[in-house]
Amino acid sequence: MTESDGKPHQGPAAPDGEPEYADRVYRSVPGVISGVFLLAVAGWLIGDAAVTGTGKTPYVALAALPVFALPVIAYTLRPAVFADRRRLVVRNPWRTVTVPWASVDALRAGYSVELLSDGKKYQVWAVPVSLRQRKRANRVRTQDAAEHASRMGMVFGRQANPIVQGSPDPTRAWSDQVTDVLQEMAERNGRHPDAAGPVVVRWCWWVIAPALLGLAALITVIAV
């Protein structure tokens, strides 16, 4: 199951008279949960090896910590999508892509969610595609049971598909709903003068550099 940060909060009016909203944030809850679990298990194993190990084992364990932990953080805890009135920020494992709405060509959800801008394609890691949710949504539409599903709200104690605030079709898979909402925001906000500008891509060196240094240290400890 995946979710956003909930209903956007209306704030002061924008210069053109439209209401201003807080950032919408989308990320994968299963990804965050799995990341926390992996870090907890790794912390226990590496800590035990560092404390009770003999010979080179404690040094190997400590050197392996950033090599394992940082990629886990990058791929599970770090990915997120931030959207406000002016721009879309896609935070992927190793880099952050900031795209003003006027520079967004399209957002599409196939086997993964993709952002198209200035002739380039960027994967949106924070919004994973669930084929199971798509099949479930297709069954609901085929059976013409969307109204019934919205009344019941729950299936075996759990929501049939997560609902994204502002989605035109809440019966669709979560990733498809998020893509629809972001595409609608791009079309609505792209005409604003303050939503123009270049695409900015920044590498996440605070994750990359320590991971590479840790890998070098691990190889050195094992080789010595």
Side-chain angles (χ1 to χ4, degrees), residues 120-139:
K120 296 182 179 180
K121 179 173 65 177
Y122 305 96
Q123 300 291 328
V124 183
W125 281 81
V127 188
V129 170
S130 171
L131 298 181
R132 178 180 297 181
Q133 288 184 7
R134 280 184 177 169
K135 291 179 180 178
R136 183 186 300 145
N138 289 335
R139 286 198 302 269

Side-chain angles (χ1 to χ4, degrees), residues 132-133 136-137 140 149 153-155 157-163 170-171:
R132 178 180 297 181
Q133 288 184 7
R136 183 186 300 145
V140 170
M154 305 289 287
V155 177
R158 296 182 64 183
Q159 186 174 287
N161 266 344
I163 297 177
T171 66

